[in-house]
Amino acid sequence: MMIVALTKERTPMSLILILEQVLNGLQFGVMLFLMAAGLTLVFGVMGLINLAHGALYMVGAFAAAAVAGWTGSFVLALMASLAAAAAAGALVEVTVIRRLYDRDHLDQVLATFALILIFSEGTRWLFGSFPLFLDVPSYLSGPVMLPGGIQYPLYRLAIIVIGLVVGAGLFWLIARTRIGVQIRAGEADREMIAALGVDISKLYTLVFALGAALAGLAGALVGAIQSVQVGMGEPVLILAFVVIVIGGIGSIKGALVGALLVGLTDTLGGVFLPRLFALLMEPASAASLGASLASMLIYILMAAVLLVRPSGLFGGSA
Amino acid sequence: MGREKLFNAAVLLVMLAVPLLAWQMDEPFIITLATKVAILALAGVGLNIALGLGGLVSLGHAAFFGIGGYAMGILASHAQNYEPLFAWPFLFEGSNQMPLIWLVAVLASAAAALVIGALSLRTSGVYFIMITLAFGQMLYYFAISWSAYGGEDGLSIWVRNEMPGVNTLDPIQFFAVAFVLLSLTLWFAARLAKSGFGLALSAARQSEERVETVGLAPFKLRLMAFVISGAITGLAGALFADLNRFVSPTMLSWHTSGEIMIFVILGGVGRLYGPVVGAAVYILLEHLLGGISEYWQIFLGLLLLGMVLFARGGLIGALLGREVAHD
């Protein structure tokens, strides 16, 4: 409903349109995965609910927009988004978040809500209330012809590829590296890995900064399609919550499946529900009813998953 | 307990004295601020039944606040435009009578709380927080796309709704209405906490197994608490919309949920008068800091952060010590 604003024109419903929307849904889902991966890692390893994750998404987007403005380089902008969000994440972890690991969820909710206020108003103070714009670089703009005669924006395709590559890297990191072993061990038993000589507080800072960097990258990538503004992270944060509730908290695989489900449901529902209703009733009320229902669709999906599996598709007992 | 009762009485007295003084000095703006405090405190008292008594960290209470607000907006806008709300089974043209609006607001938000609670309470802990948040957002987006009642722009009414025997256009009389409702609700919440139901609910918060062992169902207790909590917050929403003569999706946004929670926390979780103190301090801060800096929410954020990290009993806890604090 927010990231996908493509193809508003009325084309006849066709296979091409459906494929195009499936790609849009994938692109949305991949971005949600980058957001949700950090959230679910932080919850899985540290047991922390972090409402300020959307603020890190915003930090990444603003850093990218600022660096792109100074240097004109999109690659540098993306790197800045990773670095700035990771640095902000590490700073916040060291100063505030680590005091919250032993607290109950209510304290975590309040403290991270307070962080949102500080980040949002601080950014507004630094950059002003007007949105910034981050341009898609020329080598990624314009449409590309896909097999089957589908014209699709190259940049969106690039987002899908970048997201999938980063996602694959994350799976590799967790499954195959020493740090990944420690992260998985941290999820299973915190005291034990501390007893085995792993510096747990360094590991926590690292995991938090990693999640922040992924959120920052997502913010920068999406910032080039939408505008970069204060509060941009919050709608995405809540969708990321829906994603990990569906996928199961703490599960990276669940985050991926949940993100793609939510991305596809939201995108396809937004486009096709009004058309579906148009077959049954007059156009005006079909459009408004369809749009209303489409905006609720992912939450209905979430409720349905909860009815069948209260701890999500891939969740253990949380 | 004696000290807290004395403190509570003093809080209520100050809440009454400030607007009366302002009335004498002809300062209607201060009366309006006091009315806002009373209404927001009412919303907080509602949340506190779920949060303080039941231990249910709901980040979706804006849903009930907003439903109350829209109950007011929809009924009053039909009445003012002379467009019947429905014609079957009987002709109903909407209403501008507060008692009827309150009734609808309470019933509608209780019904929503029943559905949301029944689904969310299947889970617990962090899932519960996220799911209540998500359902709140669902209604927020629904309100934005619901163009029949203003969509994103919200819905205004020309004149504040009426109440038999009261001139609601007079700020001090409208304050009195809000204050009486707040006092009655505080009395009700105190009775509830001491009742068998309240004790069982508290016990379920402390130890689910023990409550189950004596044959009570924690799910039912919590659902009941969630419904009562939502209904009270819905009533506050109807009053809030009437105060502003305006309702918009903002009332449903998750920032509103966060703010209602801040009222409860600032004052002290589980304290009967916590939300009253919290709402008063919040509005005072908004008014004072907002006058100094456009970015006053930075200070609010820092204050809240400091409070969570270093002063967990809230203001009442800091003033009265922790002897009866929320466990």
Side-chain angles (χ1 to χ4, degrees), chain A residues 43 49 103 105 107 110-111 114 116-117 121 125 234-235 238 241 248-249 292 296 299 302 306-307 310-311 318, chain B residues 119 122-123 126-127 129-131 133-134 137-138 141-142 145 254-255 265 295 297-298 301-302 305 308-309 312:
Chain A
F43 186 82
I49 172 168
R103 298 290 188 84
H105 292 316
D107 284 359
L110 288 166
I116 293 180
L117 295 179
E121 291 304 298
W125 179 60
E234 291 170 13
I238 288 154
F241 277 151
I249 298 174
S292 302
M296 297 168 69
Y299 303 100
M302 179 186 77
L306 280 176
L307 282 176
S311 54
Chain B
L119 282 166
R122 290 170 59 84
T123 66
V126 75
Y127 277 97
I129 300 174
M130 292 185 188
I131 290 161
L133 173 62
Q137 281 309 100
M138 175 177 99
Y141 286 116
F142 178 76
S145 61
W254 77 291
H255 270 263
I265 305 306
Y295 308 106
Q297 293 210 328
I298 292 186
L302 289 170
L305 200 57
V308 175
L309 293 180
R312 297 175 67 191

CSV table of all heavy atoms in Angstrom, one decimal, chain A residues 43 49 103 105 107 110-111 114 116-117 121 125 234-235 238 241 248-249 292 296 299 302 306-307 310-311 318, chain B residues 119 122-123 126-127 129-131 133-134 137-138 141-142 145 254-255 265 295 297-298 301-302 305 308-309 312:
chain,number,residue,atom,x,y,z
A,43,PHE,N,15.4,-10.1,18.1
A,43,PHE,CA,14.6,-10.8,19.1
A,43,PHE,C,15.0,-12.2,19.4
A,43,PHE,O,15.1,-12.6,20.6
A,43,PHE,CB,13.1,-10.8,18.6
A,43,PHE,CG,12.2,-11.4,19.7
A,43,PHE,CD1,11.8,-10.6,20.7
A,43,PHE,CD2,11.9,-12.7,19.7
A,43,PHE,CE1,11.0,-11.1,21.7
A,43,PHE,CE2,11.2,-13.2,20.8
A,43,PHE,CZ,10.7,-12.4,21.8
A,49,ILE,N,12.4,-6.6,21.9
A,49,ILE,CA,11.5,-6.1,20.9
A,49,ILE,C,11.9,-4.6,20.6
A,49,ILE,O,12.0,-3.8,21.6
A,49,ILE,CB,10.0,-6.2,21.3
A,49,ILE,CG1,9.2,-5.4,20.3
A,49,ILE,CG2,9.8,-5.7,22.7
A,49,ILE,CD1,7.7,-5.7,20.4
A,103,ARG,N,15.2,-6.5,31.0
A,103,ARG,CA,13.9,-5.9,31.4
A,103,ARG,C,12.8,-6.6,30.8
A,103,ARG,O,13.0,-7.4,29.8
A,103,ARG,CB,13.9,-4.4,31.0
A,103,ARG,CG,15.0,-3.6,31.6
A,103,ARG,CD,14.7,-3.4,33.1
A,103,ARG,NE,15.6,-2.4,33.7
A,103,ARG,CZ,15.4,-1.1,33.7
A,103,ARG,NH1,14.4,-0.6,33.0
A,103,ARG,NH2,16.3,-0.3,34.2
A,105,HIS,N,9.2,-6.8,28.5
A,105,HIS,CA,8.9,-6.2,27.2
A,105,HIS,C,8.3,-4.8,27.3
A,105,HIS,O,8.5,-4.0,26.4
A,105,HIS,CB,7.9,-7.1,26.4
A,105,HIS,CG,8.5,-8.5,26.1
A,105,HIS,ND1,9.8,-8.6,25.6
A,105,HIS,CD2,8.1,-9.7,26.2
A,105,HIS,CE1,10.1,-9.8,25.3
A,105,HIS,NE2,9.0,-10.6,25.7
A,107,ASP,N,9.1,-2.4,29.3
A,107,ASP,CA,10.2,-1.4,29.3
A,107,ASP,C,10.9,-1.3,28.0
A,107,ASP,O,11.3,-0.2,27.6
A,107,ASP,CB,11.3,-1.9,30.4
A,107,ASP,CG,10.8,-1.6,31.8
A,107,ASP,OD1,9.7,-1.1,31.9
A,107,ASP,OD2,11.5,-1.9,32.8
A,110,LEU,N,8.7,0.9,25.7
A,110,LEU,CA,8.7,2.3,26.0
A,110,LEU,C,10.1,2.9,25.7
A,110,LEU,O,10.1,4.0,25.1
A,110,LEU,CB,8.5,2.4,27.5
A,110,LEU,CG,7.1,2.2,27.9
A,110,LEU,CD1,7.0,2.0,29.4
A,110,LEU,CD2,6.2,3.3,27.4
A,111,ALA,N,11.2,2.2,26.0
A,111,ALA,CA,12.5,2.8,25.8
A,111,ALA,C,12.7,3.0,24.3
A,111,ALA,O,13.2,4.0,23.8
A,111,ALA,CB,13.6,2.0,26.4
A,114,ALA,N,10.7,5.8,22.9
A,114,ALA,CA,11.4,7.0,23.2
A,114,ALA,C,12.5,7.3,22.2
A,114,ALA,O,12.7,8.4,21.8
A,114,ALA,CB,12.0,7.0,24.7
A,116,ILE,N,12.5,6.4,19.1
A,116,ILE,CA,11.9,6.8,17.9
A,116,ILE,C,11.6,8.3,18.0
A,116,ILE,O,11.9,9.1,17.0
A,116,ILE,CB,10.5,6.2,17.7
A,116,ILE,CG1,10.7,4.7,17.4
A,116,ILE,CG2,9.8,6.8,16.5
A,116,ILE,CD1,9.4,4.0,17.2
A,117,LEU,N,11.1,8.8,19.1
A,117,LEU,CA,10.9,10.3,19.2
A,117,LEU,C,12.2,11.0,19.1
A,117,LEU,O,12.2,12.0,18.4
A,117,LEU,CB,10.2,10.6,20.6
A,117,LEU,CG,8.9,10.0,20.9
A,117,LEU,CD1,8.4,10.4,22.3
A,117,LEU,CD2,7.8,10.5,19.9
A,121,GLU,N,12.6,13.4,15.7
A,121,GLU,CA,12.7,14.9,15.9
A,121,GLU,C,14.1,15.4,15.7
A,121,GLU,O,14.3,16.4,15.2
A,121,GLU,CB,12.2,15.3,17.3
A,121,GLU,CG,10.8,15.1,17.5
A,121,GLU,CD,9.9,15.8,16.5
A,121,GLU,OE1,10.0,17.0,16.5
A,121,GLU,OE2,9.2,15.1,15.7
A,125,TRP,N,15.2,18.1,13.0
A,125,TRP,CA,16.0,19.3,13.4
A,125,TRP,C,17.2,19.4,12.4
A,125,TRP,O,17.5,20.5,12.0
A,125,TRP,CB,16.4,19.0,14.8
A,125,TRP,CG,17.2,20.1,15.4
A,125,TRP,CD1,16.9,21.4,15.5
A,125,TRP,CD2,18.5,20.0,15.9
A,125,TRP,NE1,17.9,22.1,16.1
A,125,TRP,CE2,18.9,21.3,16.4
A,125,TRP,CE3,19.4,18.9,16.1
A,125,TRP,CZ2,20.2,21.5,17.0
A,125,TRP,CZ3,20.7,19.2,16.7
A,125,TRP,CH2,21.0,20.5,17.1
A,234,GLU,N,8.2,4.1,9.9
A,234,GLU,CA,7.2,3.5,10.8
A,234,GLU,C,6.2,2.5,10.1
A,234,GLU,O,5.9,1.5,10.6
A,234,GLU,CB,6.5,4.6,11.6
A,234,GLU,CG,7.5,5.2,12.5
A,234,GLU,CD,7.0,6.4,13.2
A,234,GLU,OE1,5.8,6.7,13.1
A,234,GLU,OE2,7.8,7.1,13.8
A,235,PRO,N,5.6,2.9,8.9
A,235,PRO,CA,4.8,2.0,8.3
A,235,PRO,C,5.5,0.7,7.9
A,235,PRO,O,4.9,-0.4,8.1
A,235,PRO,CB,4.3,2.7,7.0
A,235,PRO,CG,4.7,4.1,7.2
A,235,PRO,CD,5.7,4.2,8.2
A,238,ILE,N,5.9,-1.6,11.0
A,238,ILE,CA,4.7,-2.3,11.4
A,238,ILE,C,4.5,-3.5,10.5
A,238,ILE,O,4.2,-4.6,10.9
A,238,ILE,CB,3.5,-1.4,11.6
A,238,ILE,CG1,3.8,-0.5,12.8
A,238,ILE,CG2,2.3,-2.2,11.7
A,238,ILE,CD1,3.1,0.8,12.8
A,241,PHE,N,6.7,-6.2,11.5
A,241,PHE,CA,6.2,-6.9,12.6
A,241,PHE,C,5.2,-8.0,12.1
A,241,PHE,O,5.2,-9.1,12.6
A,241,PHE,CB,5.5,-6.0,13.6
A,241,PHE,CG,6.4,-5.3,14.5
A,241,PHE,CD1,6.1,-4.1,15.0
A,241,PHE,CD2,7.5,-5.9,15.0
A,241,PHE,CE1,6.9,-3.4,15.9
A,241,PHE,CE2,8.4,-5.3,15.9
A,241,PHE,CZ,8.1,-4.0,16.3
A,248,GLY,N,7.1,-16.3,12.3
A,248,GLY,CA,7.6,-16.9,13.5
A,248,GLY,C,8.8,-16.1,14.0
A,248,GLY,O,9.8,-16.0,13.3
A,249,ILE,N,8.7,-15.6,15.3
A,249,ILE,CA,9.7,-14.7,15.8
A,249,ILE,C,11.0,-15.5,16.0
A,249,ILE,O,11.0,-16.5,16.6
A,249,ILE,CB,9.2,-14.0,17.1
A,249,ILE,CG1,8.0,-13.2,16.8
A,249,ILE,CG2,10.3,-13.1,17.6
A,249,ILE,CD1,7.4,-12.6,18.0
A,292,SER,N,-10.4,-0.4,0.5
A,292,SER,CA,-10.5,-0.5,1.9
A,292,SER,C,-10.1,-2.0,2.3
A,292,SER,O,-9.3,-2.2,3.2
A,292,SER,CB,-11.9,-0.3,2.4
A,292,SER,OG,-12.3,1.0,2.1
A,296,MET,N,-6.6,-3.9,4.3
A,296,MET,CA,-6.7,-4.8,5.5
A,296,MET,C,-6.2,-6.2,5.2
A,296,MET,O,-6.1,-7.0,6.2
A,296,MET,CB,-8.1,-4.8,6.0
A,296,MET,CG,-8.6,-3.4,6.4
A,296,MET,SD,-10.4,-3.4,6.7
A,296,MET,CE,-10.6,-4.4,8.2
A,299,TYR,N,-3.4,-8.0,7.2
A,299,TYR,CA,-3.8,-8.2,8.6
A,299,TYR,C,-4.7,-9.4,8.8
A,299,TYR,O,-4.7,-10.1,9.7
A,299,TYR,CB,-4.3,-6.9,9.3
A,299,TYR,CG,-3.4,-5.7,9.1
A,299,TYR,CD1,-3.6,-4.8,8.1
A,299,TYR,CD2,-2.3,-5.6,9.9
A,299,TYR,CE1,-2.7,-3.7,8.0
A,299,TYR,CE2,-1.4,-4.6,9.8
A,299,TYR,CZ,-1.6,-3.6,8.8
A,299,TYR,OH,-0.7,-2.6,8.7
A,302,MET,N,-2.6,-12.3,8.5
A,302,MET,CA,-1.9,-12.5,9.8
A,302,MET,C,-2.9,-13.2,10.8
A,302,MET,O,-2.5,-14.2,11.5
A,302,MET,CB,-1.5,-11.2,10.4
A,302,MET,CG,-0.8,-11.3,11.8
A,302,MET,SD,-0.4,-9.7,12.5
A,302,MET,CE,-2.0,-9.2,13.1
A,306,LEU,N,-2.5,-16.9,12.5
A,306,LEU,CA,-2.5,-17.0,14.0
A,306,LEU,C,-3.5,-18.0,14.5
A,306,LEU,O,-3.3,-18.7,15.5
A,306,LEU,CB,-2.8,-15.7,14.6
A,306,LEU,CG,-1.7,-14.7,14.8
A,306,LEU,CD1,-2.1,-13.4,15.3
A,306,LEU,CD2,-0.6,-15.3,15.6
A,307,LEU,N,-4.6,-18.1,13.8
A,307,LEU,CA,-5.7,-19.0,14.2
A,307,LEU,C,-5.2,-20.4,14.0
A,307,LEU,O,-5.5,-21.3,14.8
A,307,LEU,CB,-6.9,-18.8,13.3
A,307,LEU,CG,-7.8,-17.6,13.7
A,307,LEU,CD1,-9.0,-17.5,12.7
A,307,LEU,CD2,-8.3,-17.8,15.1
A,310,PRO,N,-0.4,-20.3,16.3
A,310,PRO,CA,-0.3,-19.1,17.1
A,310,PRO,C,1.2,-18.6,17.2
A,310,PRO,O,1.4,-17.4,17.5
A,310,PRO,CB,-0.8,-19.5,18.5
A,310,PRO,CG,-1.7,-20.6,18.3
A,310,PRO,CD,-1.2,-21.3,17.1
A,311,SER,N,2.2,-19.4,17.0
A,311,SER,CA,3.6,-18.9,17.1
A,311,SER,C,4.2,-18.8,15.7
A,311,SER,O,5.4,-18.9,15.5
A,311,SER,CB,4.4,-19.8,18.0
A,311,SER,OG,4.3,-21.1,17.6
A,318,ALA,N,7.4,-19.4,21.5
A,318,ALA,CA,8.1,-18.2,22.0
A,318,ALA,C,7.6,-17.7,23.3
A,318,ALA,O,6.4,-18.0,23.7
A,318,ALA,CB,7.8,-17.1,21.0
B,119,LEU,N,-8.4,-12.9,19.3
B,119,LEU,CA,-7.4,-13.3,18.4
B,119,LEU,C,-6.0,-13.1,19.1
B,119,LEU,O,-5.1,-14.0,19.1
B,119,LEU,CB,-7.4,-12.6,17.1
B,119,LEU,CG,-8.5,-13.0,16.1
B,119,LEU,CD1,-8.7,-12.0,15.0
B,119,LEU,CD2,-8.1,-14.4,15.5
B,122,ARG,N,-4.6,-15.4,22.1
B,122,ARG,CA,-4.1,-16.7,21.8
B,122,ARG,C,-2.6,-16.8,21.9
B,122,ARG,O,-2.0,-17.8,22.1
B,122,ARG,CB,-4.5,-17.1,20.4
B,122,ARG,CG,-6.0,-17.4,20.1
B,122,ARG,CD,-6.3,-17.5,18.7
B,122,ARG,NE,-5.5,-18.6,18.1
B,122,ARG,CZ,-5.9,-19.9,18.1
B,122,ARG,NH1,-7.0,-20.2,18.7
B,122,ARG,NH2,-5.2,-20.8,17.5
B,123,THR,N,-2.0,-15.6,21.9
B,123,THR,CA,-0.5,-15.5,22.0
B,123,THR,C,-0.2,-14.8,23.3
B,123,THR,O,-1.1,-14.3,24.0
B,123,THR,CB,0.1,-14.7,20.8
B,123,THR,OG1,-0.4,-13.4,20.9
B,123,THR,CG2,-0.4,-15.3,19.5
B,126,VAL,N,5.8,-11.0,23.4
B,126,VAL,CA,6.1,-10.1,22.4
B,126,VAL,C,5.1,-10.2,21.2
B,126,VAL,O,4.8,-9.3,20.5
B,126,VAL,CB,7.6,-10.3,22.0
B,126,VAL,CG1,7.8,-11.5,21.2
B,126,VAL,CG2,8.1,-9.1,21.3
B,127,TYR,N,4.6,-11.5,20.9
B,127,TYR,CA,3.6,-11.6,19.9
B,127,TYR,C,2.4,-10.8,20.2
B,127,TYR,O,1.9,-10.1,19.3
B,127,TYR,CB,3.2,-13.1,19.8
B,127,TYR,CG,4.1,-14.0,19.0
B,127,TYR,CD1,5.0,-14.8,19.6
B,127,TYR,CD2,3.9,-14.1,17.6
B,127,TYR,CE1,5.8,-15.6,18.9
B,127,TYR,CE2,4.7,-14.9,16.9
B,127,TYR,CZ,5.7,-15.7,17.5
B,127,TYR,OH,6.5,-16.5,16.8
B,129,ILE,N,2.2,-8.0,21.8
B,129,ILE,CA,2.5,-6.6,21.5
B,129,ILE,C,2.4,-6.3,20.0
B,129,ILE,O,1.7,-5.4,19.6
B,129,ILE,CB,3.9,-6.2,22.0
B,129,ILE,CG1,4.0,-6.5,23.5
B,129,ILE,CG2,4.2,-4.8,21.7
B,129,ILE,CD1,5.4,-6.3,24.1
B,130,MET,N,3.0,-7.1,19.3
B,130,MET,CA,3.1,-6.9,17.8
B,130,MET,C,1.7,-7.1,17.2
B,130,MET,O,1.3,-6.3,16.3
B,130,MET,CB,4.0,-7.9,17.2
B,130,MET,CG,5.5,-7.6,17.5
B,130,MET,SD,6.5,-8.7,16.6
B,130,MET,CE,8.1,-8.4,17.3
B,131,ILE,N,0.9,-8.0,17.7
B,131,ILE,CA,-0.4,-8.3,17.1
B,131,ILE,C,-1.4,-7.2,17.4
B,131,ILE,O,-2.1,-6.7,16.5
B,131,ILE,CB,-0.9,-9.7,17.5
B,131,ILE,CG1,0.0,-10.7,16.8
B,131,ILE,CG2,-2.4,-9.8,17.1
B,131,ILE,CD1,-0.1,-12.0,17.5
B,133,LEU,N,-0.6,-4.2,18.0
B,133,LEU,CA,-0.1,-3.1,17.2
B,133,LEU,C,-0.6,-3.2,15.7
B,133,LEU,O,-1.1,-2.3,15.1
B,133,LEU,CB,1.4,-3.0,17.2
B,133,LEU,CG,2.2,-2.1,16.3
B,133,LEU,CD1,1.8,-0.7,16.6
B,133,LEU,CD2,3.7,-2.2,16.4
B,134,ALA,N,-0.5,-4.4,15.2
B,134,ALA,CA,-0.9,-4.7,13.8
B,134,ALA,C,-2.4,-4.4,13.6
B,134,ALA,O,-2.8,-3.8,12.6
B,134,ALA,CB,-0.5,-6.1,13.4
B,137,GLN,N,-3.1,-0.8,13.4
B,137,GLN,CA,-2.7,-0.3,12.1
B,137,GLN,C,-3.7,-0.6,11.1
B,137,GLN,O,-4.0,0.1,10.2
B,137,GLN,CB,-1.4,-0.8,11.7
B,137,GLN,CG,-0.2,-0.1,12.3
B,137,GLN,CD,-0.3,1.4,12.2
B,137,GLN,OE1,-0.7,2.1,13.2
B,137,GLN,NE2,0.1,2.0,11.1
B,138,MET,N,-4.3,-1.8,11.2
B,138,MET,CA,-5.3,-2.3,10.2
B,138,MET,C,-6.5,-1.3,10.2
B,138,MET,O,-6.9,-0.8,9.2
B,138,MET,CB,-5.8,-3.7,10.6
B,138,MET,CG,-6.9,-4.2,9.7
B,138,MET,SD,-7.4,-5.8,10.1
B,138,MET,CE,-8.8,-5.5,11.1
B,141,TYR,N,-5.4,2.1,8.6
B,141,TYR,CA,-5.4,2.1,7.1
B,141,TYR,C,-6.9,2.0,6.6
B,141,TYR,O,-7.2,2.6,5.6
B,141,TYR,CB,-4.6,1.0,6.6
B,141,TYR,CG,-3.1,1.4,6.7
B,141,TYR,CD1,-2.3,0.6,7.5
B,141,TYR,CD2,-2.6,2.5,6.1
B,141,TYR,CE1,-0.9,0.9,7.7
B,141,TYR,CE2,-1.2,2.8,6.3
B,141,TYR,CZ,-0.4,2.0,7.0
B,141,TYR,OH,0.9,2.4,7.2
B,142,PHE,N,-7.7,1.3,7.3
B,142,PHE,CA,-9.1,1.2,6.9
B,142,PHE,C,-9.7,2.6,7.0
B,142,PHE,O,-10.4,3.0,6.0
B,142,PHE,CB,-9.9,0.2,7.8
B,142,PHE,CG,-11.3,0.2,7.4
B,142,PHE,CD1,-11.7,-0.5,6.3
B,142,PHE,CD2,-12.3,0.8,8.2
B,142,PHE,CE1,-13.1,-0.6,6.0
B,142,PHE,CE2,-13.6,0.8,7.8
B,142,PHE,CZ,-14.0,0.1,6.7
B,145,SER,N,-8.7,4.8,4.1
B,145,SER,CA,-9.2,4.5,2.8
B,145,SER,C,-10.8,4.6,2.8
B,145,SER,O,-11.4,4.3,1.7
B,145,SER,CB,-8.8,3.1,2.3
B,145,SER,OG,-9.2,2.1,3.2
B,254,TRP,N,-0.6,4.5,15.6
B,254,TRP,CA,0.1,3.8,16.7
B,254,TRP,C,0.8,4.8,17.6
B,254,TRP,O,1.1,4.4,18.7
B,254,TRP,CB,1.0,2.7,16.1
B,254,TRP,CG,2.3,3.1,15.6
B,254,TRP,CD1,2.5,3.9,14.4
B,254,TRP,CD2,3.6,2.9,16.1
B,254,TRP,NE1,3.8,4.0,14.2
B,254,TRP,CE2,4.5,3.5,15.2
B,254,TRP,CE3,4.0,2.2,17.2
B,254,TRP,CZ2,5.9,3.4,15.4
B,254,TRP,CZ3,5.4,2.2,17.4
B,254,TRP,CH2,6.3,2.8,16.6
B,255,HIS,N,1.0,6.0,17.1
B,255,HIS,CA,1.6,7.0,18.0
B,255,HIS,C,0.6,7.3,19.1
B,255,HIS,O,1.0,7.6,20.3
B,255,HIS,CB,1.9,8.3,17.2
B,255,HIS,CG,3.3,8.3,16.7
B,255,HIS,ND1,4.3,8.9,17.3
B,255,HIS,CD2,3.8,7.7,15.6
B,255,HIS,CE1,5.4,8.7,16.6
B,255,HIS,NE2,5.1,8.0,15.5
B,265,ILE,N,2.6,5.1,32.0
B,265,ILE,CA,3.9,4.8,32.5
B,265,ILE,C,4.5,6.0,33.3
B,265,ILE,O,5.1,5.9,34.3
B,265,ILE,CB,4.9,4.5,31.4
B,265,ILE,CG1,4.4,3.3,30.6
B,265,ILE,CG2,6.3,4.2,31.9
B,265,ILE,CD1,4.0,2.1,31.3
B,295,TYR,N,10.9,21.2,18.6
B,295,TYR,CA,11.3,19.8,18.6
B,295,TYR,C,11.2,19.3,20.0
B,295,TYR,O,12.1,18.5,20.5
B,295,TYR,CB,12.8,19.7,18.1
B,295,TYR,CG,13.0,20.4,16.8
B,295,TYR,CD1,13.6,21.6,16.6
B,295,TYR,CD2,12.4,19.8,15.6
B,295,TYR,CE1,13.8,22.2,15.4
B,295,TYR,CE2,12.5,20.4,14.4
B,295,TYR,CZ,13.2,21.6,14.3
B,295,TYR,OH,13.3,22.2,13.1
B,297,GLN,N,9.6,17.0,21.3
B,297,GLN,CA,9.4,15.6,21.5
B,297,GLN,C,10.8,15.0,21.7
B,297,GLN,O,10.9,13.9,22.3
B,297,GLN,CB,8.7,15.0,20.3
B,297,GLN,CG,7.3,15.4,20.3
B,297,GLN,CD,6.4,14.4,19.7
B,297,GLN,OE1,6.8,13.6,18.8
B,297,GLN,NE2,5.1,14.3,20.1
B,298,ILE,N,11.9,15.6,21.3
B,298,ILE,CA,13.2,15.1,21.7
B,298,ILE,C,13.3,15.0,23.2
B,298,ILE,O,13.8,14.1,23.8
B,298,ILE,CB,14.4,16.0,21.2
B,298,ILE,CG1,14.4,15.9,19.6
B,298,ILE,CG2,15.7,15.6,21.7
B,298,ILE,CD1,15.6,16.7,19.0
B,301,GLY,N,11.2,12.4,24.6
B,301,GLY,CA,11.9,11.1,24.4
B,301,GLY,C,13.0,10.8,25.4
B,301,GLY,O,13.1,9.8,26.0
B,302,LEU,N,13.8,11.9,25.7
B,302,LEU,CA,14.9,11.7,26.7
B,302,LEU,C,14.3,11.5,28.1
B,302,LEU,O,14.8,10.6,28.8
B,302,LEU,CB,15.8,13.0,26.7
B,302,LEU,CG,16.6,13.1,25.4
B,302,LEU,CD1,17.3,14.5,25.4
B,302,LEU,CD2,17.7,12.0,25.4
B,305,LEU,N,13.0,8.0,28.2
B,305,LEU,CA,14.1,7.1,28.3
B,305,LEU,C,14.7,7.0,29.7
B,305,LEU,O,14.9,5.9,30.2
B,305,LEU,CB,15.1,7.5,27.3
B,305,LEU,CG,16.2,6.5,26.8
B,305,LEU,CD1,15.5,5.3,26.2
B,305,LEU,CD2,17.1,7.1,25.8
B,308,VAL,N,12.3,5.1,32.1
B,308,VAL,CA,12.3,3.7,31.9
B,308,VAL,C,13.6,3.1,32.5
B,308,VAL,O,13.6,2.1,33.2
B,308,VAL,CB,12.2,3.3,30.4
B,308,VAL,CG1,12.3,1.8,30.3
B,308,VAL,CG2,10.9,3.8,29.9
B,309,LEU,N,14.8,3.8,32.2
B,309,LEU,CA,16.0,3.2,32.6
B,309,LEU,C,16.3,3.4,34.1
B,309,LEU,O,16.9,2.5,34.8
B,309,LEU,CB,17.2,3.8,31.8
B,309,LEU,CG,17.2,3.5,30.3
B,309,LEU,CD1,18.4,4.2,29.6
B,309,LEU,CD2,17.3,2.0,30.1
B,312,ARG,N,11.7,3.3,37.5
B,312,ARG,CA,10.7,2.5,36.9
B,312,ARG,C,9.3,2.6,37.6
B,312,ARG,O,8.3,2.1,37.0
B,312,ARG,CB,11.1,1.0,37.0
B,312,ARG,CG,12.4,0.9,36.1
B,312,ARG,CD,13.0,-0.5,36.2
B,312,ARG,NE,12.1,-1.5,35.6
B,312,ARG,CZ,12.2,-2.8,35.8
B,312,ARG,NH1,13.2,-3.2,36.5
B,312,ARG,NH2,11.4,-3.6,35.2
